[in-house]
Amino acid sequence: MRILHTSDWHLGRAFHRVNLLGAQAAFLDHLVATVREREVDAVLVAGDIYDRAVPPLPAVELYDRALHRLAELGVPTVMISGNHDSARRLGVGAGLIDRAGIHLRTDPAGCAEPVVLADVHGEVALYGLPYLEPALVKEEFGTRKVSHEAVLGAAMDRIRADLATRAPGTRSVVLAHAFVTGGQASDSERDIAVGGVEAVPASVFDGVDYAALGHLHGCQTINERVRYSGSPLAYSFSEADHRKTMWLIDLGAAGEIAGAERIDTPVPRALARLRGRLADLLEEPAYAAHEDAWVEATLTDPVRPDDPMARLAARFPHTLTLAFDPEGRTEEAGASYAQRLRGRSDQEIAEDFVAHVRGGHADDAERAVLQSAFDAVRADDSRQETHR
């Protein structure tokens, strides 16, 4: 069975205020063409279809057109909600849409109810496991510990139990939206960088033939059977070196991975991260290759030059961000507030604050209180969004 694995569309997201709807539409055109030309048997979308819970109308229209086109091809599509999606909103009409071959899985309680497809070798059970916010689903899964590993493990136990009731030789695929140990994050996964989301081990997916993951924006292989497709477009300059692709997976007769091919997605414009003195950036011939790219420039001049953005734009008209890191300044002194916080979780920032104002580090009990508070805030945000 040939599967096309994609994720993290983030429809409606901009790139440093640049509207990406046109680029997202081009990606969806490419996806539909790939499904048709490569004779795909099933499309998997592993979460974060939208960039936010209440997406702009043009993004909803783009999503609607994509669903109609996939349904017209007659190729089953399984989609799950991610942490950026409103599961309740995305799941509206799921029962009706299901009849068109578009299978939305947004309710954690239904994670062990697969979409069952068949080929000449027998059945394939596809389980959709939406993003699980531990504080909201711990009662559903009966976990004593409030953690991603606990709730994801409990959900996978249900999936394995259902799979055990099926005919011998039934192959299995799981879609999940999670941060798996060994995956490499980027700056655009803002909920990973500062949201306190801990990683889960790849072993949580033991017992299934393929885990199609979403959440991390770089295409990567955790192991042969556990892979991230990554986002189809770059959403931060930290992804400048990413090759944006989808996975074309051939699932063999016995559940083996008979083929894994990366299908490149359209690139609307190259990204370039330039660093140096302003005069060098404006004059060096080596930078000519980046003149049509979206540019992130970091100037290292000891003294801030006059009108740097306008001067940069004369050579690099698509310069989007400008930062200063003067030569000779120590790293801590030269770092912006955002740079000092980059990569640190809410929990770590709060503990640093406690240490700063009190002169001593938080103890284990205090760290537990802080973690409980952050969990409660995230859960309350999710509840409010559900009822908004």
Side-chain angles (χ1 to χ4, degrees):
M1 182 169 287
R2 175 161 287 181
I3 295 167
L4 186 64
H5 166 199
T6 178
S7 73
D8 295 273
W9 295 356
H10 288 277
L11 299 181
R13 186 164 184 165
F15 184 79
H16 293 275
R17 300 179 301 282
V18 174
N19 189 310
L20 290 179
L21 276 173
Q24 291 171 335
F27 157 68
L28 291 172
D29 289 344
H30 175 69
L31 182 146
V32 171
T34 301
V35 170
R36 183 175 54 250
E37 294 165 8
R38 300 301 298 270
E39 299 181 340
V40 170
D41 297 307
V43 176
L44 311 182
V45 188
D48 280 354
I49 287 87
Y50 292 122
D51 188 54
R52 57 181 186 263
V54 185
L57 183 57
V60 177
E61 293 171 339
L62 189 58
Y63 167 74
D64 182 62
R65 289 198 300 273
L67 294 194
H68 277 82
R69 295 171 70 187
L70 288 168
E72 288 169 1
L73 290 175
V75 176
T77 299
V78 184
M79 314 176 85
I80 61 172
S81 51
N83 58 301
H84 282 253
D85 301 308
S86 167
R88 291 287 295 275
R89 287 189 175 91
L90 189 65
V92 168
L96 290 173
I97 296 172
D98 191 84
R99 301 178 188 177
I102 307 294
H103 308 282
L104 295 172
R105 294 294 184 263
T106 63
D107 183 0
C111 66
E113 301 169 8
V115 176
V116 180
L117 306 179
D119 61 12
V120 296
H121 303 294
E123 292 186 339
V124 179
L126 297 97
Y127 298 90
L129 189 54
Y131 177 76
L132 302 176
E133 176 57 55
L136 292 181
V137 301
K138 63 185 179 72
E139 293 183 4
E140 166 64 33
F141 292 107
T143 59
R144 283 180 290 182
K145 186 176 181 182
V146 183
S147 71
H148 281 270
E149 182 175 357
V151 296
L152 192 57
M156 284 301 303
D157 285 343
R158 289 189 185 182
I159 289 171
R160 283 185 284 262
D162 177 82
L163 190 58
T165 68
R166 298 187 177 273
T170 298
R171 291 159 290 167
S172 56
V173 174
V174 168
L175 290 78
H177 198 82
F179 186 11
V180 174
T181 302
Q184 298 296 314
S186 60
D187 291 348
S188 59
E189 297 122 357
R190 51 186 180 265
D191 291 320
I192 292 174
V194 298
V197 177
E198 72 271 22
V200 300
S203 59
V204 76
F205 299 108
D206 286 352
V208 297
D209 295 314
Y210 183 67
L213 302 183
H215 205 20
L216 301 185
H217 289 182
C219 180
Q220 47 202 298
T221 300
I222 304 301
N223 60 52
E224 184 184 45
R225 297 181 182 276
V226 180
R227 300 171 189 258
Y228 283 98
S229 66
S231 61
L233 299 172
Y235 292 118
S236 74
F237 278 102
S238 66
E239 300 169 57
D241 295 330
H242 285 194
R243 176 188 165 197
K244 293 301 183 180
T245 59
M246 303 177 286
W247 280 114
L248 190 67
I249 301 293
D250 287 328
L251 194 62
E256 75 278 13
I257 305 301
E261 178 184 353
R262 292 179 68 180
I263 305 294
D264 291 288
T265 56
V267 179
R269 191 180 297 278
L271 306 184
R273 309 183 87 175
L274 306 183
R275 180 183 179 88
R277 295 194 176 198
L278 178 60
D280 293 334
L281 298 184
L282 296 178
E283 297 169 9
E284 283 289 338
Y287 295 123
H290 306 303
E291 290 176 354
D292 195 44
W294 281 322
V295 168
E296 174 194 72
T298 300
L299 300 184
T300 61
D301 302 71
V303 178
R304 183 174 300 209
D306 292 333
D307 206 13
M309 180 60 93
R311 293 165 68 185
L312 275 171
R315 184 178 190 186
F316 308 103
H318 304 290
T319 300
L320 298 181
T321 70
L322 177 61
F324 297 91
D325 186 12
E327 298 167 357
R329 182 178 294 185
T330 64
E331 181 178 350
E332 182 63 24
S336 69
Y337 179 71
Q339 288 171 330
R340 291 197 300 273
L341 297 186
R342 183 172 297 163
R344 300 184 67 76
S345 69
D346 290 345
Q347 177 85 12
E348 292 169 328
I349 294 168
E351 289 178 16
D352 287 347
F353 177 75
V354 170
H356 174 72
V357 299
R358 195 174 62 188
H361 294 291
D363 60 27
D364 290 344
E366 290 167 332
R367 284 195 291 271
V369 169
L370 288 171
Q371 185 62 63
S372 177
F374 287 123
D375 288 343
V377 169
R378 286 201 303 275
D380 187 59
D381 286 346
S382 296
R383 291 190 190 96
Q384 289 186 35
E385 185 55 55
T386 298
H387 294 93
R388 190 173 296 168

